[in-house]
């Protein structure tokens, strides 16, 4: 069996979510007992950075070319698909990020492969990848049976990160031969980059998320303070984003980001299926809501019935007092 992984590069380093996929695939290959593993990184990144982050078996190809300076879907998809085909990959794995939502169908189409989106991965009895996906906004879980020779999987983030399988760095190789001719045509008109000091919510271990029940933009200060005390970040439901209280980059759920923090605190969020679809990989879920019948409590490990104004500041000061004792 041959496995192939896309390692996403941002600001000359590899994203944590794609390293997580790399590590998960290493474990899968170990279970299968006979897999070859290849990775690909696109863009300007030092070989040393790649080998300092990727451990285990296999080789990682780095594609550097000015054709990749700006994200062009067809150029990226062509390069990845050609390299995957060259390695003889039967299973292609990508972290389910915003860019991969755009890229994965294009890669699958070029490879004539089935696409299994937003799945969780395990090995079956024979060591083959067994992908489970959430359907109907997370209310049904299905096992995907792939009938094509090649399959492309996008993997949702999980709170239980896959550990490195070994301490030996991978072999890093140059793959200039797979840099495609770029005609210059790009359907992407403009790339707007937002620089923020805050961590991306999809890479944070602790998220304090607010919904319509937070009551307004100003009340999010309470959540910011709690998140800061816990070393986490603030996320939001779609209602809070639609109200203009938070930017879209903070939205969690079906039409926002999928997150997998170790701790998720939902404040004034009702728990609609479209929101829960974005937190299926979360570890411990805590809900704070004034309505004891709110559906979020069925998805929570711990629940507090009360208002945001009353509960969040008390939790905040309890966390800070506890930290002073340490
Ligand atoms: C196609 C589609 C895609 C969608 N995608 C997403 C998505 O990606 N993410 C997403 O979140 N939603 C999404 N939605 C919307 C989703 O269906 C819900 O409407 C939304 O999640 C509700 O947000 P909310 O829980 O913040 O607000 P509400 O449903 O209005 O809930 C507010 C909650 O706050 C509680 N509350 C009120 N005041 C207080 C207070 N003072 N203290 C404590 N609790 C209080 C209430 O009891 C209530 O439970 C989508 C919908 C559709 C149709």
């Amino acid at each position: 069996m041959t496995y192939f992984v896309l390692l996403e590069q941002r600001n000359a380093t590899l994203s944590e979510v794609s390293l997580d996929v790399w590590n998960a695939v290493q474990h899968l290959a170990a279970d299968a007992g006979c897999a070859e593993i290849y990775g690909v990184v696109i863009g300007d990144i030092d070989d040393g950075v790649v080998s300092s982050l990727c451990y285990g078996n296999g080789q990682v190809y780095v594609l550097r070319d000015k054709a990749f300076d700006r994200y062009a879907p067809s150029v990226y998809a062509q390069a990845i698909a050609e390299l995957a085909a060259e390695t003889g990959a039967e299973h292609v794995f990508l972290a389910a990020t915003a860019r991969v939502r755009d890229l994965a169908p294009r890669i699958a189409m070029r490879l004539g492969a089935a696409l299994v989106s937003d799945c969780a991965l395990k090995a079956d009895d024979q060591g083959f990848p067994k992908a489970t996906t959430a359907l109907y906004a997370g209310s049904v879980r299905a096992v995907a049976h792939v009938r094509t020779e090649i399959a492309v999987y996008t993997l949702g983030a999980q709170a239980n990160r896959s550990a490195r399988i070994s301490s030996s760095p991978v072999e890093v190789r140059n793959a200039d031969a797979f840099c495609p001719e770029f005609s210059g045509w790009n359907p992407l008109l403009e790339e707007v980059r937002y620089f923020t000091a805050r961590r991306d919510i999809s890479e944070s271990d602790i998220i304090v998320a607010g919904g319509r029940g937070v009551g307004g933009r100003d009340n999010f200060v309470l959540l910011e303070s709690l998140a800061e005390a816990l070393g986490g970040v603030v996320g939001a439901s779609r209602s809070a984003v639609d109200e203009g209280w938070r930017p879209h980059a903070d939205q969690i759920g079906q039409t926002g980001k999928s997150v997998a923090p170790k701790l998720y605190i939902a404040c004034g969020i009702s728990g609609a299926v479209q929101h829960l679809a974005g937190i299926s990989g979360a570890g411990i879920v805590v809900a704070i809501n004034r309505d004891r019948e709110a559906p979020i409590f069925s998805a929570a490990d711990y629940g507090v019935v009360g208002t945001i104004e009353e509960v969040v500041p008390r939790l905040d000061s309890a966390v800070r007092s506890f930290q002073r004792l340490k």
Side-chain angles (χ1 to χ4, degrees):
M1 255 184 292
T2 306
Y3 297 158
F4 188 89
V5 179
L6 171 68
L7 290 149
E8 273 191 82
Q9 182 260 134
R10 259 182 257 151
N11 304 325
T13 190
L14 299 176
S15 75
E16 282 183 31
V17 281
S18 57
L19 283 170
D20 218 32
V21 171
W22 175 262
N23 290 333
V25 170
Q26 291 283 336
H27 286 280
L28 195 66
D31 289 342
C34 60
E36 286 182 60
I37 309 173
Y38 297 93
V40 61
V41 187
I42 293 187
D44 205 8
I45 186 167
D46 278 353
D47 289 2
V49 172
V50 177
S51 59
S52 69
L53 293 170
C54 287
Y55 292 85
N57 296 315
Q59 298 167 358
V60 174
Y61 289 97
V62 181
L63 295 172
R64 293 184 195 89
D65 192 278
K66 71 181 202 12
F68 302 123
D69 281 356
R70 201 151 71 92
Y71 174 62
S74 55
V75 177
Y76 273 53
Q78 184 186 331
I80 295 166
E82 281 184 11
L83 185 55
E86 180 70 17
T87 62
E90 294 142 309
H91 301 281
V92 177
F93 303 97
L94 307 92
T97 60
R99 178 169 290 183
V100 160
R101 280 187 187 164
D102 183 44
L103 205 47
R106 299 169 195 271
I107 297 169
M109 189 266 293
R110 281 173 168 78
L111 290 170
L115 172 63
V116 187
S117 298
D118 270 313
C119 61
L121 204 60
K122 277 190 189 160
D124 71 9
D125 298 342
Q126 279 105 44
F128 288 102
K130 179 177 167 189
T132 320
T133 61
L135 301 178
Y136 306 112
S139 42
V140 175
R141 295 206 71 79
V143 176
H145 291 280
V146 176
R147 298 193 195 284
T148 48
E149 282 178 19
I150 305 175
V152 174
Y153 307 84
T154 73
L155 306 189
Q158 298 295 319
N160 295 328
R161 312 264 190 260
S162 298
R164 282 177 188 170
I165 200 158
S166 83
S167 54
S168 47
V170 292
E171 184 186 340
V172 182
R173 294 181 148 203
N174 191 313
D176 286 350
F178 292 92
C179 296
E181 285 292 311
F182 183 39
S183 65
W185 184 80
N186 188 344
L188 204 73
L189 297 179
E190 193 185 357
E191 190 175 47
V192 182
R193 293 187 185 200
Y194 290 95
F195 291 96
T196 155
R198 294 181 312 136
R199 256 186 110 186
D200 188 323
I201 53 166
S202 47
E203 297 202 338
S204 182
D205 279 342
I206 298 176
I207 297 177
V208 181
R212 199 196 305 276
V214 172
R217 187 196 299 254
D218 293 346
N219 270 1
F220 265 90
V221 172
L222 303 175
L223 276 60
E224 292 279 5
S225 176
L226 177 59
E228 187 207 61
L230 290 165
V233 296
V234 171
S237 73
R238 177 160 153 182
S239 300
V241 171
D242 287 349
E243 293 285 354
W245 301 341
R246 302 298 297 181
H248 183 260
D250 287 357
Q251 185 180 316
I252 293 161
Q254 189 183 331
T255 44
K257 290 182 177 160
S258 292
V259 294
K262 293 195 166 84
L263 173 63
Y264 185 77
I265 305 181
C267 306
I269 292 178
S270 57
V273 284
Q274 294 89 354
H275 185 80
L276 298 181
I279 61 167
S280 61
I284 292 175
V285 176
V286 178
I288 303 169
N289 198 301
R290 70 176 179 192
D291 174 10
R292 65 175 61 247
E293 304 295 331
I296 189 75
F297 287 124
S298 322
D301 300 286
Y302 299 94
V304 183
V305 179
T307 66
I308 301 308
E309 299 81 349
E310 148 197 31
V311 178
V312 174
R314 288 171 69 182
L315 191 54
D316 187 356
S317 73
V319 170
R320 288 172 193 274
S321 310
F322 178 73
Q323 281 168 344
R324 275 195 294 273
L325 290 177
K326 283 205 288 181

